[in-house]
């Protein structure tokens, strides 16, 4: 296979086996149906031997026009659909949308709802990083870690199921607070989970982090410098692994993050192993946040009183939050009606993917899996 | 020096591999820690939490009465046009006309279990049920009528 742009630009003929005539280069497709792309991502890779010359990501295979769809939904309705963007941090997506609507309504969220939201966000972050850890180890050929990761993730899924009613697409955050109060078992089960996590996290390091094969495949692979991370617009663990302080929870604190004690995990190497270590560190920091909050959930309402029909005043509203993958921005333009005039999502995956070509150029095809795995791509988040 | 480093590298490598093997091997002799569930076989023991969102159902009491007034709040709240409410006019003995529910059509194939309809219902007539095994051979079977045949609105619900 080949791309038309490739052939037109190089003015070359393509032979039957995919090689470009006269250049010694070859174009191969990774995806859209490839297990290592975690979804329908289509990478057109130009190879010289086994060395990557160029990567062209082709998007659009899972484009569901969420932004356009939201224009015909009310301010309560459009939130549920954002669970389907970055489905591994659906709570945080819903949180960003609810916060934007609250900004427009100038609504004060009760303290109990704020704490519940932060607790849910951090549980989601741990769950997301657990899944990333398992899936990335599987990309590199280690199958067992996937089951270890899912054991802990299952505990979080059960907590979510009990309180929110769903395991993946929760739709729990509503404008003004959260949809339902915490389940009576919530505190006990979260404490059980923290105990389980602390008892089992050393296995992660024994199985994967310390493994010599893993380290050799990760260190020095897919290096992204701090300047490049900034110029490509990378956020989240990808930017922090290059030494860029980009945690929205620290830089632009929302809800109660400014009152919490946690560290922004950064590394300086910028390679795949640094990104791995940042995410491992973030799991510990999230657990630290949960520990601070779980015994201090204030009493009170879980939802502020809102009108039956929400109308945002005319204007533009923007909020950003830190999802498990980076900075998610929600931009709403309102004409004063019951539905948004325009919604734009600034998703972390899209910007992080744009750095892939730069990171992988000149490296071998086998290293691409390590680079792509540590970018933690969720394809519906890129396409929307 | 080179040989010394080489040997130490090999030693560390073998040690790291053995550490990993020990972790996995440990579960081989501790089968009590295995948490795998055999799903279709354990269907009777499945214990889903009461908030689990499986499908929308309408609550009926023992007199076959429900609390739906046909106000269409759920229909308006639904983002996917999953719910369609068909109303009729009941005539009371005094000759007064009153709007009442005729058919509560629920398209399960369109539903995303977002719970917005249950939140919107002013009388608590609908709720989420725990049934999650929805697969059928024909999609027309997923269009359901939620109010039971012969049911009517409960006394005193406005």
């Amino acid at each position: 296979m080949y791309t038309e742009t490739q052939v037109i630009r190089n003015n070359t003929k393509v032979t039957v086996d995919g090689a470009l005539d006269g250049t010694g280069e070859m174009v191969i497709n990774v995806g859209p149906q490839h297990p290592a792309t975690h979804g329908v991502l289509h990478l057109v890779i130009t190879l010289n031997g086994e060395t990557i010359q160029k990567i062209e990501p082709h998007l659009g295979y899972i484009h569901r026009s969420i932004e356009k769809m939201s224009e015909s939904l009310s301010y309560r309705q459009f939130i549920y659909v954002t669970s389907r963007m970055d489905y591994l941090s659906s709570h945080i997506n819903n949180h960003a949308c609810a916060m934007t609507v609250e900004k427009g309504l100038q609504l004060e969220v009760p303290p109990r709802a704020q704490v519940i939201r932060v607790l849910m966000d951090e549980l989601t972050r741990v769950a997301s990083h657990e899944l990333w850890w398992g899936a990335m180890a599987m990309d590199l050929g280690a199958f067992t870690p996937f089951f270890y990761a899912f054991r802990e993730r299952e505990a979080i899924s059960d907590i979510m199921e009990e309180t929110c009613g769903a395991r993946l697409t929760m739709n729990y955050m509503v404008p003004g607070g959260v949809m339902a109060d915490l389940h009576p078992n919530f505190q006990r089960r979260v404490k059980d989970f923290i105990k389980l996590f602390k008892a089992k996290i050393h296995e992660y390091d024994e199985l994967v982090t310390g493994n010599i094969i893993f380290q050799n495949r990760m260190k020095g692979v897919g290096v992204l410098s701090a300047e490049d991370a900034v110029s490509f617009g990378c956020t989240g663990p990808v930017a922090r692994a290059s030494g860029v302080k980009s945690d929205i929870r620290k830089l632009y604190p929302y809800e109660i993050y400014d009152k919490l004690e946690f560290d922004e995990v950064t590394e300086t190497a910028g390679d795949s192993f640094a990104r791995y270590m940042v995410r491992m560190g973030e799991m510990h920091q999230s657990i630290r946040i949960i520990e601070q909050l779980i015994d201090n959930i204030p009493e009170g309402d879980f939802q502020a009183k809102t009108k039956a029909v929400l109308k945002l005043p005319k204007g533009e509203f923007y909020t950003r939050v830190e999802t498990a993958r980076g900075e998610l921005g929600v931009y709403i333009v309102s004409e004063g009606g019951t539905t948004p005039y325009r919604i734009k999502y600034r998703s972390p995956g899209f910007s992080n993917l744009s750095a892939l070509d730069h990171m992988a150029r000149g490296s071998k095809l086998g290293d691409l899996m390590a680079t792509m795995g540590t970018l933690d791509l969720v394809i519906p988040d890129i396409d929307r | 020096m080179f040989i010394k480093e080489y040997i130490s590298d090999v030693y560390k490598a073998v040690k790291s591999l053995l550490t990993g093997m020990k972790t996995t091997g440990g579960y081989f002799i501790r089968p009590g820690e295995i948490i795998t569930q055999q799903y279709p076989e354990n269907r009777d023991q499945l214990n889903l939490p009461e908030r689990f969102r499986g499908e929308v159902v309408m609550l009926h009491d023992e007199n076959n009465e429900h609390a739906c007034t046909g106000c269409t709040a759920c229909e308006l709240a639904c983002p996917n046009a999953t719910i369609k409410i068909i109303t009729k006019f009941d005539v009371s003995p005094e000759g007064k006309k009153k709007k009442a529910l005729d058919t509560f059509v629920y398209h399960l194939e369109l539903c995303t279990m977002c719970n917005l309809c249950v939140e919107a219902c002013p009388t608590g007539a609908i709720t989420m049920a725990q049934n999650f095994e929805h697969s059928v051979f024909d999609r027309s079977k997923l269009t359901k009528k939620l109010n039971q045949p012969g049911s009517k609105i409960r006394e005193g619900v406005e």
Side-chain angles (χ1 to χ4, degrees):
Chain A
M1 288 292 287
Y2 56 92
T3 58
E4 287 175 20
T5 50
Q6 188 83 42
V7 176
I8 293 163
R9 203 176 299 144
N10 296 350
N11 197 19
T12 45
K13 279 183 190 154
V14 177
T15 56
V16 181
D17 57 353
L20 297 170
D21 250 7
T23 58
E25 290 178 353
M26 184 162 156
V27 180
I28 64 156
N29 288 285
V30 174
Q33 312 293 343
H34 191 276
T37 56
H38 302 290
V40 281
L41 178 65
H42 180 188
L43 297 176
V44 181
I45 304 175
T46 313
L47 290 174
N48 190 350
E50 215 188 332
T51 313
I52 294 168
Q53 303 278 36
K54 193 171 72 173
I55 298 180
E56 258 183 87
H58 281 202
L59 307 177
Y61 289 94
I62 193 159
H63 184 76
R64 293 151 301 170
S65 67
I66 285 178
E67 287 175 7
K68 189 72 189 165
M69 222 163 97
S70 302
E71 286 169 19
S72 59
L73 297 173
S74 80
Y75 287 113
R76 275 182 214 285
Q77 289 172 339
F78 87 96
I79 293 177
Y80 93 98
V81 84
T82 58
S83 309
R84 276 115 183 126
M85 284 180 357
D86 179 358
Y87 45 79
L88 294 180
S89 37
S90 54
H91 264 310
I92 314 179
N93 291 355
N94 295 348
H95 191 170
C97 295
M99 261 166 52
T100 319
V101 176
E102 281 152 16
K103 203 178 200 177
L105 296 170
Q106 305 204 325
L107 201 66
E108 192 68 33
V109 182
R112 183 176 173 85
Q114 292 192 12
V115 172
I116 294 173
R117 281 177 169 190
V118 170
L119 271 170
M120 288 300 182
D121 280 6
E122 295 308 318
L123 281 172
T124 313
R125 200 183 310 279
V126 177
S128 170
H129 284 346
E130 301 260 16
L131 191 138
W132 156 81
W133 180 80
M136 190 215 51
M138 207 158 73
D139 284 350
L140 298 183
F143 201 77
T144 328
F146 193 71
F147 298 110
Y148 285 69
F150 263 62
R151 179 184 55 197
E152 273 82 69
R153 189 171 175 275
E154 190 65 22
I156 300 179
S157 288
D158 282 348
I159 295 169
M160 297 293 181
E161 194 179 17
E162 205 172 45
T163 292
C164 318
R167 299 166 70 85
L168 201 67
T169 51
M170 290 89 168
N171 189 32
Y172 185 58
M173 314 272 183
V174 293
V178 291
M179 194 176 256
D181 205 356
L182 287 177
H183 195 271
N185 290 342
F186 180 79
Q187 276 172 308
R188 183 177 58 78
R189 294 193 67 154
V190 170
K191 279 177 195 164
D192 285 352
F193 165 71
I194 293 172
K195 228 179 277 173
L196 174 80
F197 181 85
K198 289 196 165 165
K200 300 290 186 193
I201 192 70
H202 70 93
E203 286 184 353
Y204 289 38
D205 293 337
E206 284 165 14
L207 262 179
V208 173
T209 316
N211 189 298
I212 187 78
I213 302 169
F214 178 77
Q215 288 198 357
N216 286 345
R217 285 197 68 178
M218 298 295 263
K219 281 184 179 164
V221 169
V223 181
L224 185 70
S225 68
E227 292 77 35
D228 289 333
V230 171
S231 71
F232 280 111
C234 296
T235 47
V238 178
R240 286 197 283 280
S242 305
V244 182
K245 286 199 185 298
S246 65
D247 198 330
I248 305 297
R249 296 174 293 172
K250 285 276 187 201
L251 295 173
Y252 306 96
Y254 51 96
E255 306 289 16
I256 51 161
Y257 275 115
D258 47 347
K259 292 171 200 151
L260 295 169
E261 275 180 36
F262 65 100
D263 299 330
E264 183 176 349
V265 187
T266 48
E267 296 271 335
T268 47
D271 59 355
S272 296
F273 196 68
R275 289 191 281 279
Y276 173 88
M277 290 312 284
V278 166
R279 289 209 176 83
M280 295 304 271
E282 274 188 15
M283 277 201 258
H284 289 281
Q285 295 304 322
S286 290
I287 291 291
R288 202 170 139 198
I289 294 175
I290 295 166
E291 276 180 328
Q292 287 170 45
L293 290 176
I294 191 65
D295 284 320
N296 305 315
I297 305 174
E299 294 296 319
D301 295 334
F302 59 85
Q303 202 177 333
K305 288 216 163 36
T306 47
K307 286 179 188 157
V309 179
L310 300 179
K311 271 188 186 173
L312 256 63
K314 197 171 173 175
E316 300 171 4
F317 309 100
Y318 184 76
T319 39
R320 36 169 133 187
V321 296
E322 180 77 19
T323 73
R325 259 146 225 91
E327 177 189 335
L328 173 77
V330 180
Y331 180 59
I332 296 183
V333 183
S334 170
E335 293 274 85
T338 53
T339 56
Y341 175 74
R342 173 84 169 93
I343 283 192
K344 165 90 180 91
Y345 298 110
R346 185 258 178 237
S347 70
F350 188 80
S351 310
N352 290 354
L353 175 70
S354 69
L356 180 66
D357 178 44
H358 178 78
M359 289 152 82
R361 243 178 225 207
S363 65
K364 298 281 184 278
L365 185 61
D367 291 339
L368 178 67
M369 294 307 134
T371 314
M372 220 158 64
T374 49
L375 280 180
D376 195 9
L377 300 172
V378 168
I379 311 306
D381 182 39
I382 298 166
D383 258 350
R384 296 190 294 284
Chain B
M1 258 337 263
F2 173 74
I3 290 178
K4 207 174 169 187
E5 262 176 38
Y6 181 77
I7 290 171
S8 107
D9 277 357
V10 169
Y11 171 73
K12 276 181 200 154
V14 171
K15 197 183 156 202
S16 81
L17 292 178
L18 287 177
T19 317
M21 294 294 273
K22 202 182 99 197
T23 309
T24 13
Y27 283 94
F28 192 67
I29 53 168
R30 298 196 302 274
E33 287 184 41
I34 294 169
I35 56 158
T36 319
Q37 292 183 18
Q38 303 293 330
Y39 160 59
E41 286 83 19
N42 72 345
R43 201 178 270 161
D44 300 332
Q45 293 98 285
L46 272 185
N47 205 356
L48 290 167
E50 67 265 33
R51 284 187 195 174
F52 181 78
R53 309 204 281 252
E55 62 172 334
V56 177
V57 291
M58 185 175 275
L59 296 167
H60 289 78
D61 59 9
E62 63 276 9
N63 303 328
N64 201 13
E65 289 175 336
H66 57 75
C68 181
T69 57
C71 70
T72 69
C74 49
E75 191 179 326
L76 292 170
C78 181
N80 317 308
T82 304
I83 295 168
K84 178 83 188 119
I85 290 181
I86 302 163
T87 53
K88 60 181 178 186
F89 281 101
D90 274 352
V91 185
S92 65
E94 296 94 57
K96 270 188 185 169
K97 271 187 174 179
K98 201 183 164 199
K99 203 166 124 184
L101 175 74
D102 181 51
T103 317
F104 192 111
V105 185
Y106 171 52
H107 294 275
L108 179 56
E109 74 269 27
L110 301 177
C111 186
T112 56
M113 319 297 166
C114 66
N115 208 29
L116 290 174
C117 54
V118 179
E119 290 280 303
C121 184
T123 56
I126 48 174
T127 185
M128 282 283 177
Q130 276 79 39
N131 177 29
F132 62 95
E133 291 160 326
H134 294 309
S135 48
V136 284
F137 282 105
D138 187 3
R139 83 175 264 187
S140 65
K141 284 180 185 157
L142 292 169
T143 304
K144 294 179 178 180
K145 185 185 165 188
L146 290 192
N147 52 331
Q148 286 170 10
S151 64
K152 61 179 196 301
I153 187 163
R154 199 176 296 140
E155 283 291 317
V157 177
E158 289 298 326

